[in-house]
Every structure is written in C-alpha cells, then in structure tokens.
Amino acid sequence: FHIFEKVDAPSRPFPVPFPDEGDVYDYKFVKEGLGRWELWTEAIHSVPPIPKDAQFNSIIIPTVDTVRYTYLMDLLVRHEKPCLFVGPTGTGKSVYIQDFILNQLPKDVYKPVLINFSAQTTSTQTQNIILSKLDKRRKGVFGPPMGWKTIVFVDDMNMPSREVYGAQPPIELLRQWLDHRSWYDFKDNTKINLVDILFIAAMGPPGGGRNPITSRFLRHLNTITINEFDDPTMTLIFSRIVDWHFGKGFGADMKALGSQIVAATTAVYKNAMTNLLPTPAKSHYLFNLRDFARVIQ
C-alpha cells in the first residue's frame, strides 16, 4: 500500500501549523481568525468546584474525555445529527447526556424527552410516549411548538427483547422515523409526519440481556464510544469526590486519608476484576465502575 513512503513537503507552509508537543487527539481546532489549536485540558481549568450541597449521583468531574464527549455531542446536536453513545456500565453515558440536555442546552430552544428502554418496552409505548410530548401543528403533522426543537434521549436502547423473527419493535419504530420522518396512527392508520425532533441514544455493548442493534438503524447514527477510565483518570475523579466530602468540616488528619482510600479501593477493585471471574455457579461476579462508585459513596 506504500503507506511508509515519504510524501513531498507542502508547496507553501500551513497557515496554522500543528503544535510540536502531544498527540493530534490532545487538541481541538478553534475557528477564530486564521484559527488556532487549543488543548482540551484548557477547558478543565475553568471548571467551578463541586457545590457543598451536591448529590453524589449528579457529580460530574471533568476530564479530558468528558470534555471531548460533550464537545462532540454539542456539535452533533446543533447540526441536528442523530448520535449514539456506546460504553460499558458505569462509565457515565447517561449522566453526561442528561447533564448536557438539561443544563447546557438553551432552555428556550430545546424541549427534552427522556425515555428508558427495558426488555418489556413495546413499540406502542414508545410511540405514545413521544407523541404525548408533541403538539399537533396541523392535520397529520406533529412536532414541538413553533420555534422549538424536541430532543429525544433513549437510554439502554438495545434492551428491548427480540420478537420471533429477530427484530426489536421499538428499534424498528425509531428506524421508521429516521428513514421516513413519519409514523402511522395505531387506530386509523393515517400518516403522522414528525418535524423538528432530534435524537440521542446510549447503550452498553451487546451481551448480558442486551441485544445487537440492526445495522439498518445504526447507519443513521454517529456512534461515539465511551471507554472505561484508566487508573490516573479514576484516581483523579474519586480523589476529588473524597476531598469534597472531607471538606465538610473534617479535620486535617482525615483529609490526608483521601488519597489512601482511593488507592486502596482501586487495588481491591482491580484484584476483584482479575480474580473473581464469573462462573456458571456465580454468574453475578461482574464488576464495573458503578461498584467502585458505591464504595466511595
């Protein structure tokens, strides 16, 4: 394939040369003037501290990865492109998306609709939930009020069980919407055109009750993978949470224990993942970051 052959130097220098330090993934391009390269980490420095009255489950510790995911999500939503976030349990997919939809999007433009799929979810339930959040603009046309956008977030998208022929009816309903931008009324079979509706979904990898999604539906979605955190990122996240807790009136001797608690929990978590593997008799031996978070909580 000649992939190692050297290419000729550009005929003229790039107007915005790429930085010499770091990887290409460490930067984003900011379109200001000629443009400039900016480190993702610069967005982390301006983050305010955790509020003292914050709920544990709602705390989001910004990392380079979370900044990237949020940036991509914002880009896709503002250009009205459907997207799907895939990652293991406990990586924060739902929390990132809900925080973005509920707290970061303009509340006078976007109306959120949050749906959780389960193995028992049917296509009828899905259509009724979404249509109940929309207005009838005119005969056969449904959507949010004029000037608004409805953003539908489906969590655990691959949970619905398969029917006898292998299809998942709620997924096929969503596919019909993205294919044809319309549904049909269940009572009189009249056509329902859907307008000004955006779509975001999250799911875990197939397996353990989760089913593979048909590629006929996936072809519509911009798929973004959320990986499990590496050790330095886990230490950063949970150390900040422990320090936040110990900052509520604990003495200096207790605050010094925060890093030790996180390090010890990490060691136990890694050993459990390595040694306590699931067996037919103990199939519940599956550990993820949600278990880690429960210990810290």
CSV table of all heavy atoms in Angstrom, one decimal, residues 232-265:
chain,number,residue,atom,x,y,z
A,232,PRO,N,-5.2,6.6,36.2
A,232,PRO,CA,-5.0,8.0,36.6
A,232,PRO,C,-6.3,8.8,36.6
A,232,PRO,O,-6.6,9.6,37.4
A,232,PRO,CB,-4.0,8.6,35.5
A,232,PRO,CG,-3.3,7.4,35.0
A,232,PRO,CD,-4.2,6.3,35.1
A,233,THR,N,-7.2,8.5,35.6
A,233,THR,CA,-8.5,9.2,35.5
A,233,THR,C,-9.4,8.8,36.6
A,233,THR,O,-10.0,9.7,37.3
A,233,THR,CB,-9.1,8.9,34.2
A,233,THR,OG1,-8.3,9.2,33.1
A,233,THR,CG2,-10.4,9.7,34.0
A,234,MET,N,-9.4,7.5,37.0
A,234,MET,CA,-10.2,7.1,38.1
A,234,MET,C,-9.7,7.7,39.4
A,234,MET,O,-10.5,8.1,40.2
A,234,MET,CB,-10.1,5.5,38.2
A,234,MET,CG,-11.0,4.8,37.2
A,234,MET,SD,-10.7,3.0,37.2
A,234,MET,CE,-11.0,2.6,38.9
A,235,THR,N,-8.4,7.8,39.6
A,235,THR,CA,-7.9,8.4,40.8
A,235,THR,C,-8.2,9.8,40.9
A,235,THR,O,-8.6,10.3,41.9
A,235,THR,CB,-6.3,8.2,40.8
A,235,THR,OG1,-6.0,6.8,40.7
A,235,THR,CG2,-5.7,8.8,42.1
A,236,LEU,N,-8.1,10.5,39.7
A,236,LEU,CA,-8.5,12.0,39.7
A,236,LEU,C,-10.0,12.2,40.1
A,236,LEU,O,-10.3,13.0,40.9
A,236,LEU,CB,-8.2,12.5,38.3
A,236,LEU,CG,-8.8,13.9,38.0
A,236,LEU,CD1,-8.1,15.0,38.8
A,236,LEU,CD2,-8.8,14.2,36.5
A,237,ILE,N,-10.8,11.4,39.5
A,237,ILE,CA,-12.3,11.6,39.7
A,237,ILE,C,-12.6,11.3,41.2
A,237,ILE,O,-13.3,12.2,41.8
A,237,ILE,CB,-13.1,10.6,38.8
A,237,ILE,CG1,-12.9,11.1,37.3
A,237,ILE,CG2,-14.6,10.6,39.2
A,237,ILE,CD1,-13.5,10.1,36.3
A,238,PHE,N,-12.3,10.1,41.7
A,238,PHE,CA,-12.7,9.8,43.0
A,238,PHE,C,-11.9,10.5,44.1
A,238,PHE,O,-12.5,10.7,45.2
A,238,PHE,CB,-12.6,8.3,43.2
A,238,PHE,CG,-13.6,7.5,42.3
A,238,PHE,CD1,-13.2,6.8,41.2
A,238,PHE,CD2,-15.0,7.6,42.6
A,238,PHE,CE1,-14.1,6.1,40.4
A,238,PHE,CE2,-15.9,7.0,41.8
A,238,PHE,CZ,-15.5,6.2,40.7
A,239,SER,N,-10.7,10.9,43.8
A,239,SER,CA,-10.0,11.8,44.8
A,239,SER,C,-10.7,13.1,45.0
A,239,SER,O,-10.8,13.6,46.1
A,239,SER,CB,-8.5,12.0,44.4
A,239,SER,OG,-7.8,10.8,44.4
A,240,ARG,N,-11.2,13.7,43.9
A,240,ARG,CA,-11.9,15.0,44.0
A,240,ARG,C,-13.2,14.8,44.8
A,240,ARG,O,-13.5,15.7,45.6
A,240,ARG,CB,-12.1,15.5,42.6
A,240,ARG,CG,-10.9,16.2,42.0
A,240,ARG,CD,-11.3,17.2,40.9
A,240,ARG,NE,-12.2,18.2,41.4
A,240,ARG,CZ,-12.8,19.1,40.6
A,240,ARG,NH1,-12.5,19.1,39.3
A,240,ARG,NH2,-13.5,20.1,41.1
A,241,ILE,N,-13.8,13.7,44.6
A,241,ILE,CA,-15.1,13.5,45.3
A,241,ILE,C,-14.8,13.2,46.8
A,241,ILE,O,-15.5,13.8,47.7
A,241,ILE,CB,-15.9,12.2,44.7
A,241,ILE,CG1,-16.3,12.6,43.3
A,241,ILE,CG2,-17.0,11.9,45.6
A,241,ILE,CD1,-17.0,11.4,42.6
A,242,VAL,N,-13.8,12.5,47.2
A,242,VAL,CA,-13.5,12.2,48.6
A,242,VAL,C,-13.0,13.5,49.2
A,242,VAL,O,-13.4,13.8,50.4
A,242,VAL,CB,-12.4,11.1,48.7
A,242,VAL,CG1,-11.9,11.0,50.1
A,242,VAL,CG2,-12.9,9.8,48.2
A,243,ASP,N,-12.2,14.3,48.5
A,243,ASP,CA,-11.8,15.6,49.1
A,243,ASP,C,-12.9,16.5,49.3
A,243,ASP,O,-13.0,17.3,50.3
A,243,ASP,CB,-10.7,16.3,48.1
A,243,ASP,CG,-9.4,15.5,48.1
A,243,ASP,OD1,-9.2,14.7,49.0
A,243,ASP,OD2,-8.6,15.7,47.1
A,244,TRP,N,-13.9,16.5,48.4
A,244,TRP,CA,-15.1,17.3,48.5
A,244,TRP,C,-15.9,16.9,49.8
A,244,TRP,O,-16.3,17.8,50.5
A,244,TRP,CB,-16.0,17.2,47.3
A,244,TRP,CG,-17.4,17.5,47.4
A,244,TRP,CD1,-17.9,18.8,47.5
A,244,TRP,CD2,-18.5,16.6,47.6
A,244,TRP,NE1,-19.3,18.8,47.6
A,244,TRP,CE2,-19.7,17.4,47.7
A,244,TRP,CE3,-18.7,15.3,47.6
A,244,TRP,CZ2,-21.0,16.9,47.8
A,244,TRP,CZ3,-19.9,14.7,47.7
A,244,TRP,CH2,-21.1,15.5,47.8
A,245,HIS,N,-16.0,15.6,50.0
A,245,HIS,CA,-16.7,15.1,51.2
A,245,HIS,C,-15.9,15.5,52.5
A,245,HIS,O,-16.5,16.0,53.5
A,245,HIS,CB,-16.9,13.6,51.1
A,245,HIS,CG,-17.6,13.1,52.4
A,245,HIS,ND1,-18.9,13.3,52.7
A,245,HIS,CD2,-17.1,12.2,53.3
A,245,HIS,CE1,-19.2,12.7,53.8
A,245,HIS,NE2,-18.2,12.0,54.2
A,246,PHE,N,-14.6,15.3,52.5
A,246,PHE,CA,-13.8,15.6,53.7
A,246,PHE,C,-13.7,17.1,54.0
A,246,PHE,O,-13.3,17.5,55.0
A,246,PHE,CB,-12.4,15.0,53.6
A,246,PHE,CG,-12.4,13.5,53.8
A,246,PHE,CD1,-11.4,12.7,53.4
A,246,PHE,CD2,-13.4,12.9,54.6
A,246,PHE,CE1,-11.3,11.3,53.6
A,246,PHE,CE2,-13.4,11.5,54.8
A,246,PHE,CZ,-12.4,10.8,54.3
A,247,GLY,N,-14.1,17.9,52.9
A,247,GLY,CA,-14.1,19.4,53.1
A,247,GLY,C,-15.3,19.9,53.9
A,247,GLY,O,-15.4,21.1,54.2
A,248,LYS,N,-16.2,19.0,54.3
A,248,LYS,CA,-17.4,19.4,55.0
A,248,LYS,C,-17.2,19.3,56.5
A,248,LYS,O,-17.9,18.6,57.2
A,248,LYS,CB,-18.6,18.5,54.6
A,248,LYS,CG,-19.0,18.6,53.2
A,248,LYS,CD,-20.1,17.6,52.9
A,248,LYS,CE,-20.5,17.6,51.4
A,248,LYS,NZ,-21.6,16.6,51.2
A,249,GLY,N,-16.2,19.9,57.0
A,249,GLY,CA,-16.0,20.0,58.5
A,249,GLY,C,-15.1,18.9,59.1
A,249,GLY,O,-15.0,18.8,60.3
A,250,PHE,N,-14.4,18.1,58.3
A,250,PHE,CA,-13.5,17.1,58.8
A,250,PHE,C,-12.1,17.8,59.1
A,250,PHE,O,-11.8,18.8,58.5
A,250,PHE,CB,-13.3,16.0,57.8
A,250,PHE,CG,-14.5,15.1,57.7
A,250,PHE,CD1,-15.5,15.4,56.8
A,250,PHE,CD2,-14.6,13.9,58.4
A,250,PHE,CE1,-16.6,14.5,56.7
A,250,PHE,CE2,-15.7,13.0,58.3
A,250,PHE,CZ,-16.7,13.4,57.4
A,251,GLY,N,-11.4,17.2,60.0
A,251,GLY,CA,-10.1,17.7,60.4
A,251,GLY,C,-9.1,17.4,59.3
A,251,GLY,O,-9.3,16.6,58.4
A,252,ALA,N,-7.9,18.0,59.5
A,252,ALA,CA,-6.8,17.9,58.5
A,252,ALA,C,-6.3,16.5,58.5
A,252,ALA,O,-5.8,16.0,57.4
A,252,ALA,CB,-5.7,18.9,58.8
A,253,ASP,N,-6.3,15.8,59.6
A,253,ASP,CA,-5.8,14.4,59.6
A,253,ASP,C,-6.7,13.5,58.8
A,253,ASP,O,-6.2,12.5,58.2
A,253,ASP,CB,-5.7,13.9,61.1
A,253,ASP,CG,-7.0,14.0,61.8
A,253,ASP,OD1,-7.9,14.9,61.4
A,253,ASP,OD2,-7.2,13.3,62.8
A,254,MET,N,-8.0,13.7,58.7
A,254,MET,CA,-8.9,12.9,57.9
A,254,MET,C,-8.7,13.3,56.4
A,254,MET,O,-8.7,12.4,55.6
A,254,MET,CB,-10.4,13.2,58.3
A,254,MET,CG,-10.8,12.6,59.6
A,254,MET,SD,-10.7,10.8,59.6
A,254,MET,CE,-11.9,10.4,58.4
A,255,LYS,N,-8.5,14.5,56.1
A,255,LYS,CA,-8.3,14.9,54.7
A,255,LYS,C,-7.1,14.2,54.1
A,255,LYS,O,-7.1,13.9,52.9
A,255,LYS,CB,-8.2,16.4,54.6
A,255,LYS,CG,-9.5,17.2,55.0
A,255,LYS,CD,-9.3,18.7,54.9
A,255,LYS,CE,-10.5,19.5,55.3
A,255,LYS,NZ,-10.3,20.9,55.2
A,256,ALA,N,-6.1,14.0,54.9
A,256,ALA,CA,-4.9,13.3,54.3
A,256,ALA,C,-5.2,11.9,53.9
A,256,ALA,O,-4.4,11.3,53.2
A,256,ALA,CB,-3.8,13.4,55.4
A,257,LEU,N,-6.3,11.3,54.4
A,257,LEU,CA,-6.5,9.9,54.1
A,257,LEU,C,-7.2,9.7,52.8
A,257,LEU,O,-7.4,8.6,52.3
A,257,LEU,CB,-7.4,9.3,55.2
A,257,LEU,CG,-6.8,9.2,56.6
A,257,LEU,CD1,-7.9,8.7,57.6
A,257,LEU,CD2,-5.6,8.3,56.6
A,258,GLY,N,-7.7,10.8,52.2
A,258,GLY,CA,-8.5,10.7,50.9
A,258,GLY,C,-7.8,9.9,49.8
A,258,GLY,O,-8.3,9.0,49.3
A,259,SER,N,-6.5,10.2,49.6
A,259,SER,CA,-5.8,9.5,48.5
A,259,SER,C,-5.5,8.1,48.8
A,259,SER,O,-5.6,7.2,48.0
A,259,SER,CB,-4.4,10.2,48.3
A,259,SER,OG,-3.7,10.3,49.5
A,260,GLN,N,-5.4,7.8,50.2
A,260,GLN,CA,-5.2,6.4,50.6
A,260,GLN,C,-6.4,5.5,50.4
A,260,GLN,O,-6.4,4.4,49.9
A,260,GLN,CB,-4.7,6.3,52.0
A,260,GLN,CG,-3.4,7.0,52.3
A,260,GLN,CD,-3.0,7.0,53.8
A,260,GLN,OE1,-3.3,6.0,54.4
A,260,GLN,NE2,-2.4,8.0,54.2
A,261,ILE,N,-7.6,6.2,50.7
A,261,ILE,CA,-8.9,5.5,50.5
A,261,ILE,C,-9.1,5.1,49.0
A,261,ILE,O,-9.4,4.0,48.7
A,261,ILE,CB,-10.0,6.3,51.0
A,261,ILE,CG1,-9.9,6.4,52.5
A,261,ILE,CG2,-11.4,5.8,50.6
A,261,ILE,CD1,-10.9,7.4,53.1
A,262,VAL,N,-8.8,6.1,48.1
A,262,VAL,CA,-9.0,5.8,46.7
A,262,VAL,C,-8.0,4.8,46.2
A,262,VAL,O,-8.4,3.9,45.4
A,262,VAL,CB,-8.8,7.2,45.9
A,262,VAL,CG1,-8.9,6.9,44.4
A,262,VAL,CG2,-9.9,8.1,46.3
A,263,ALA,N,-6.8,4.9,46.6
A,263,ALA,CA,-5.7,3.9,46.2
A,263,ALA,C,-6.1,2.5,46.7
A,263,ALA,O,-6.0,1.5,45.9
A,263,ALA,CB,-4.4,4.3,46.7
A,264,ALA,N,-6.6,2.4,47.9
A,264,ALA,CA,-6.9,1.0,48.4
A,264,ALA,C,-8.1,0.5,47.7
A,264,ALA,O,-8.2,-0.7,47.3
A,264,ALA,CB,-7.2,1.1,49.9
A,265,THR,N,-9.1,1.3,47.4
A,265,THR,CA,-10.3,0.9,46.7
A,265,THR,C,-10.0,0.4,45.3
A,265,THR,O,-10.5,-0.6,44.8
A,265,THR,CB,-11.4,2.0,46.7
A,265,THR,OG1,-11.6,2.5,48.0
A,265,THR,CG2,-12.7,1.5,46.1
